[in-house]
Amino acid sequence: MRASFSRSMLSNIIDRIKLPFRKEKEFYSALYNILGFYPHNITYYKVALMHKSLGHRATPEELRALEGNKKKKKNTSEKEADARYEQANRRKGKKQRQREDNAKGGGRSHLGKQLNNERLEFLGDAILDAVVGDVVYKHFPGKPEGFLTNTRSKLVQRETLGRLAKEMGVSKLILASGRTATHNSYIGGNAFEALVGAIYLDRGYKACYDFWTRRIMNTYLNVDKVAYKEVNFKSKILEWAQKNRVNMEFRLEDQSQDVHGSPKFIYTLSLEGIDGGTAEGFTKKESQQKACEITLKRLRTDGKFLDSIFAAKTERTRMEETPTALVPVIEEQKNDDIFIEKTAERKADSTASESDRPLTMAEKAVDELTLDDLTATPKKESMEDIIAKAEAEAYKNI
């Protein structure tokens, strides 16, 4: 360990001696302040700080360095090609070069495709997982696998790496378009991962491990605090709401664009209809996470807010359990009564119809008969004689 440290110190001394003779002394010095050592192959670090929005095209020297041919000497034809390339580019403006490159097929130049830090970001992400996993495993002996995995994810998440990039000065060295650098909250974290990938290609895994343990943990991060810090606020408050049977809802307050045309979301978290936290973010997830964080802090510090939520819950459950109206009573009806009423109606109708019907001549004659007519009739007369006599009397008037 001591021998390797001595070799590292000797290498830094030699690199410091070479610094005045380098073309990019300021860039070398800036990287030394971040990394704690001078780069051997500066091309790796340049590419690590190139965002894709820059639209940079790979030069022949960059292509050879990234392809692993750094020890290969240039032959005469390669030197002449490089010289012609540089001379031609000096004569042309930037827009003209872009038009020519795009015309040659899909935005590709005759030298190669666009160059950015995405490949180094992929490599650095894998190396960083291994390094941080190694560190966490040694730092927390006896802890279960779930705890170690959760701690590692907190240490390498984009928000943590983005803050590291800002505090260490990596963000100031990133080459990107002004609009992208302004609104993209993940650009610093991505560049940090790419920088780790560059360290790995330039100096190996041991340099990446030393960079994290000596430069990061001793100066910028407290691993113990990070391990026990609650990060997923949305998951925490959702778990709390389910245990207490509290209704929670995210309400979109506004969806717009900032001055650079980037999307912007504003969400409010509501518990039992009572507004908790309101937050703004460049994504829905970011906005909701911030709103959950604000609400959790209010739940832990504001007793009145907590009481109002449970009071609203009690009122809601009481209204759900209390019947809104009495069950209507159904009166029992007897079929006999219905038929009786209908029979009476039919009798009344028949009586009315009989009284309204016009009488025949015979009926009128019978109605005109008096008691005297009946009494004057001899008792020996039969019924047929009486009817015949009545009909004869009736026809006299015709």
Side-chain angles (χ1 to χ4, degrees):
M1 178 69 70
R2 185 174 298 177
S4 62
F5 183 75
S6 299
R7 287 195 297 270
S8 177
M9 290 290 295
L10 180 61
S11 177
N12 281 335
I13 293 173
I14 295 173
D15 289 333
R16 185 182 292 274
I17 295 173
K18 293 180 180 179
L19 183 62
F21 304 98
R22 300 187 184 275
K23 295 181 180 179
E24 300 168 312
K25 291 183 291 186
E26 294 183 0
F27 187 56
Y28 272 93
S29 298
L31 288 176
Y32 179 82
N33 294 332
I34 295 172
L35 306 175
F37 57 84
Y38 290 100
H40 289 165
N41 189 336
I42 196 67
T43 304
Y44 293 136
Y45 302 90
K46 285 182 178 180
V47 176
L49 298 171
M50 289 181 184
H51 190 262
K52 62 181 179 180
S53 63
L54 188 65
H56 176 72
R57 302 287 176 180
T59 64
E61 183 179 355
E62 290 171 341
L63 287 176
R64 282 191 292 271
L66 295 174
E67 289 172 358
N69 298 326
K70 57 184 179 181
K71 294 182 179 180
K72 180 182 177 181
K73 295 183 179 180
K74 296 181 182 180
N75 54 35
T76 305
S77 60
E78 288 176 340
K79 292 181 180 179
E80 292 178 354
D82 291 350
R84 289 195 298 270
Y85 171 78
E86 295 295 338
Q87 186 178 6
N89 278 340
R90 284 195 295 269
R91 295 175 181 173
K92 299 176 182 178
K94 182 178 179 180
K95 291 184 178 180
Q96 183 179 354
R97 289 197 302 269
Q98 289 178 349
R99 285 196 298 268
E100 290 181 358
D101 290 342
N102 293 333
K104 291 179 181 179
R108 295 173 178 267
S109 69
H110 63 286
L111 293 173
K113 57 185 178 181
Q114 288 186 350
L115 191 62
N116 56 60
N117 63 359
E118 289 183 344
R119 284 175 55 83
L120 285 176
E121 178 189 339
F122 164 79
L123 178 61
D125 180 40
I127 298 300
L128 200 57
D129 275 347
V131 169
V132 175
D134 191 353
V135 171
V136 171
Y137 182 85
K138 295 175 181 177
H139 191 80
F140 297 102
K143 288 293 183 180
E145 181 269 341
F147 175 85
L148 299 178
T149 301
N150 191 28
T151 302
R152 183 184 61 182
S153 65
K154 293 176 184 178
L155 289 168
V156 299
Q157 67 177 342
R158 285 291 184 275
E159 290 80 4
T160 303
L161 299 182
R163 184 171 179 178
L164 282 174
K166 183 177 180 180
E167 293 185 0
M168 297 180 70
V170 176
S171 299
K172 296 179 181 180
L173 302 178
I174 298 174
L175 301 176
S177 66
R179 172 181 172 181
T180 302
T182 302
H183 88 276
N184 193 337
S185 57
Y186 295 149
I187 189 173
N190 296 340
F192 186 91
E193 288 182 339
L195 193 64
V196 173
I199 296 173
Y200 175 76
L201 293 178
D202 188 36
R203 296 225 176 186
Y205 177 84
K206 181 65 169 57
C208 296
Y209 185 88
D210 292 341
F211 169 68
W212 182 264
T213 53
R214 296 175 183 174
R215 304 292 293 181
I216 305 299
M217 289 181 57
N218 293 340
T219 308
Y220 300 99
L221 281 182
N222 186 322
V223 178
D224 295 293
K225 288 185 177 180
V226 173
Y228 296 100
K229 179 183 177 182
E230 296 178 354
V231 175
N232 194 344
F233 303 104
K234 186 176 181 180
S235 175
K236 291 292 182 182
I237 199 169
L238 180 60
E239 181 182 357
W240 176 85
Q242 290 176 346
K243 287 183 178 179
N244 294 277
R245 298 182 180 179
V246 173
N247 290 342
M248 62 176 289
E249 178 185 7
F250 289 101
R251 186 174 67 250
L252 179 62
E253 301 289 356
D254 184 51
Q255 180 178 350
S256 58
Q257 293 181 340
D258 60 9
V259 293
H260 302 287
S262 303
K264 182 176 66 176
F265 301 90
I266 300 177
Y267 272 92
T268 295
L269 175 59
S270 174
L271 299 174
E272 290 292 347
I274 300 174
D275 291 346
T278 301
E280 173 183 323
F282 291 110
T283 62
K284 294 180 180 179
K285 181 180 179 181
E286 181 183 0
S287 175
Q288 292 178 0
Q289 278 282 0
K290 291 181 179 179
C292 290
E293 181 181 5
I294 296 172
T295 305
L296 276 175
K297 290 180 179 179
R298 286 193 63 187
L299 288 172
R300 290 173 176 173
T301 58
D302 191 348
K304 293 182 178 179
F305 175 62
L306 182 61
D307 292 340
S308 64
I309 292 174
F310 281 101
K313 174 199 169 185
T314 303
E315 180 65 19
R316 172 180 61 80
T317 54
R318 184 185 66 81
M319 293 179 64
E320 291 176 353
E321 295 174 357
T322 304
T324 56
L326 297 176
V327 179
V329 178
I330 301 176
E331 296 181 358
E332 185 178 357
Q333 296 180 347
K334 297 181 180 180
N335 292 335
D336 295 341
D337 296 338
I338 297 175
F339 288 117
I340 291 173
E341 291 178 359
K342 288 185 177 181
T343 305
E345 291 175 0
R346 286 197 298 269
K347 288 181 180 180
D349 293 341
S350 62
T351 304
S353 61
E354 289 292 334
S355 60
D356 295 338
R357 182 177 59 81
L359 300 176
T360 62
M361 290 296 185
E363 290 172 340
K364 288 180 180 180
V366 174
D367 289 341
E368 291 175 357
L369 290 177
T370 63
L371 185 60
D372 295 338
D373 295 332
L374 295 175
T375 56
T377 305
K379 294 182 180 180
K380 296 181 178 179
E381 292 180 350
S382 63
M383 185 59 68
E384 288 82 1
D385 294 337
I386 293 173
I387 294 174
K389 186 177 178 179
E391 289 178 353
E393 188 67 23
Y395 284 113
K396 287 181 181 181
N397 298 326
I398 300 174

